[in-house]
Amino acid sequence: MSSTTVKSASRAALPPEIQLLILELLSSDGCSLAQFATVSRQWQTIIERRNFERINLTLWRIPDFGHMTRRNRALVKYIWLSLELSEYDCFTCGARNMNRNGNLLPNRCGADECIIVTAMRDLFLTLSAWEPQGDLKLDISIHSPSDSQHWFKYLTFGPDTLPHSQVTPSQRVDPEHGWNAGILSSAPTELALRNVFAEVLGRPGAIFFNKELECEWWQTLPEVPAVTSMLLRLQNRRRWRPSTLTYMLSRLPRLEEFHYEPWRAWSKGGQNVTDLAYCSLIDSLTSRTLKKLVLFENFDEQYSSCFAHCDDMRAPNFWVGQAVAKASLELEHLSASFIIDAGHFLDAVKSEWNWSHLSSLTLTSQLLNPQENPDRINNMLEAAASTALKMPKLKTLEIWNGRVGLAALLRYQLEGIGRTVLSWKATWKFALQPHVIKAWEAVAHANHSHLLVQEFLDETISVNSHADAINYLELFKVLRPISLQQILAAHEMRREGPLAERRWRHTT
């Protein structure tokens, strides 16, 4: 008997749970498991499931993707398409004065658009051949390697998993870009911010110089019924136009989940145009098979100070709130943070509306702040209870707010048979009025449940960003966990040093 046969027989003699532990240890050690697939048929099955469950794709790997997964398509549950755009230098980022107010180089722009168009075409052509087999999540990211090499050294890019790699201190010594002794002591240029927040496929002179041409191009792509979930995470600082997303999503006829984490626009005019386009995008979702919609419009209160005509916090648009309210009628789960205001959502509700499927609803409201009239807050929370009566399957409703210096949350939670909790948690004093509690008692009674009211106050907690508020309020489903980690990491790096925040705001 050969030594290989003896070793294989020895492994086969091990209990299955021990073999699994061995594989776990090998995997956690960063070891490639492919070489162990020949040990046994059981190991091959386990290793193939691990190797094919999550696929990372680049532009250059797409042509081989179909052949690579032909035998194991049913094992693929998650595809991360990571597109790297062209690198750029300090003239483009605005660190050198001769180009602080200049434009991006046209040839680089054209090359970047070719990368995106080619990748989307090749990916959709490849995936169109896949038969629907359970859930398949498509995660798309676009960035330039240079983004984290100039002003934004705290940016990280990776798949939708935790933990995530962090920036080392040695990378944070770059006085030309404001990094001194590991501390960001000066703000990035407006050009640097506009560069990383540029539109995808939306620049003047681009391949799609008008929406009609772009719409025609998307319609040439085949439908992809295998994809059931789409992720566009906030590490995509480059902005997809909502109209582009409308065309893209139209090619995914079985989409059940959409996680969309755009950044706010950095001017009032730009935000008005974006909000108008949001309405069309959200309206396009109402006739879909969508069950879960998670919207999280990210922002950075420090970035806004770098732009000449930008408010610290943008004002939500009523019509976007109305569009989201209408789209929610057929959903099972909705979370919409900062992109709309809960007050607008509630004001848009019509008397004949009913949410026959909705089990969870999470919204933000700028009314939840210590400077607001308490009566207005209580009236809004009472209106939320009236709307909740139209949601017979509702188990959780949350209305919250968070930014530098404040966090607040009203949560209605059905915790089991006969028990429902209405809780108020905040960093400032506020009292729920009796008429509000009575309104929520009616909701609990409709669910054959008793209402327990709880209030939590912590005026000492430090809230340095909306991410801190999310942690404090335990709202871990309003955005992807890796996205929350990225916000926290960026703010932590910029807070290092006692004067970092103040310097940041006064050096533009």
Side-chain angles (χ1 to χ4, degrees), residues 77-101:
K77 303 301 180 186
Y78 168 85
I79 299 170
W80 178 45
L81 177 63
S82 176
L83 299 180
E84 287 194 354
L85 306 182
S86 306
E87 297 188 41
Y88 53 86
D89 57 22
C90 292
F91 295 107
T92 300
C93 84
R96 295 177 184 167
N97 290 332
M98 66 180 66
N99 200 43
R100 287 185 73 90
N101 298 310

Side-chain angles (χ1 to χ4, degrees), residues 325-400:
K326 184 178 179 182
S328 70
L329 288 170
E330 298 301 322
L331 295 175
E332 295 178 7
H333 306 277
L334 170 65
S335 176
S337 301
F338 303 114
I339 195 169
I340 66 168
D341 193 274
H344 294 158
F345 181 101
L346 298 170
D347 289 342
V349 173
K350 299 185 183 302
S351 59
E352 67 273 17
W353 283 9
N354 285 284
W355 288 260
S356 56
H357 309 292
L358 198 68
S359 64
S360 69
L361 174 63
T362 301
L363 303 170
T364 49
S365 177
Q366 293 187 3
L367 281 179
L368 300 187
N369 74 80
Q371 282 73 47
E372 187 56 67
N373 184 326
D375 289 339
R376 290 192 66 196
I377 299 174
N378 276 289
N379 290 340
M380 187 266 290
L381 298 180
E382 182 182 17
S386 298
T387 300
L389 286 171
K390 297 171 173 285
M391 304 172 181
K393 292 188 178 180
L394 186 69
K395 294 181 179 179
T396 303
L397 186 146
E398 298 164 324
I399 299 177
W400 69 284

Side-chain angles (χ1 to χ4, degrees), residues 6 127 155 264 273 293 303 363-364 435 450 492:
V6 172
L127 292 180
L155 300 190
R264 63 163 291 187
V273 171
L293 178 61
Y303 287 172
L363 303 170
T364 49
H435 67 88
H450 172 72
E492 182 63 29

